[in-house]
Amino acid sequence: MKARFAKIADAPIIYTLINNYAEQDKMLFRSMADIYENIRSFVLVEQNGSEAKALGIKKVFALTLEPGFFKKFGFKTIERKKLPMKVWMDCARCSKQENCDEIALIKHL
């Protein structure tokens, strides 16, 4: 896989993708303004490479309702409370905050 940081031009597809899954109750809704404001926090993944390794990142994580997708790429399940505190900023806005059903996964590079 190859990863790269999102660009402004990627915002509409990110918006569509996220909100399509949000309508299925699989993600949190994100406004276009929020996506533009946080565009550098989005990473797009393609086949044949991994930018995270090149940046010296030792591990990546995900919160998801679809763990099987991530497990196909070598992610392992961990306890949510082991994730960095920065993750909880999104959780503070979530309507499911008290009854979170997302699964935390991590991949060591």
Side-chain angles (χ1 to χ4, degrees), residues 1 58-61 73-76 105-109:
M1 287 186 292
K58 297 187 184 321
K59 56 188 170 185
V60 292
F61 61 87
F73 299 102
F75 281 77
K76 306 285 183 206
L105 298 125
I106 194 163
K107 180 175 181 176
H108 294 275
L109 305 174

Side-chain angles (χ1 to χ4, degrees), residues 45-81:
V45 178
E46 303 165 345
Q47 294 292 351
N48 306 321
S50 172
E51 187 170 326
K53 262 188 197 177
L55 293 172
I57 296 172
K58 297 187 184 321
K59 56 188 170 185
V60 292
F61 61 87
L63 283 168
T64 183
L65 295 174
E66 302 292 335
F69 173 82
F70 290 92
K71 288 181 178 183
K72 288 189 288 188
F73 299 102
F75 281 77
K76 306 285 183 206
T77 305
I78 61 166
E79 293 179 50
R80 279 194 309 269
K81 65 183 178 182

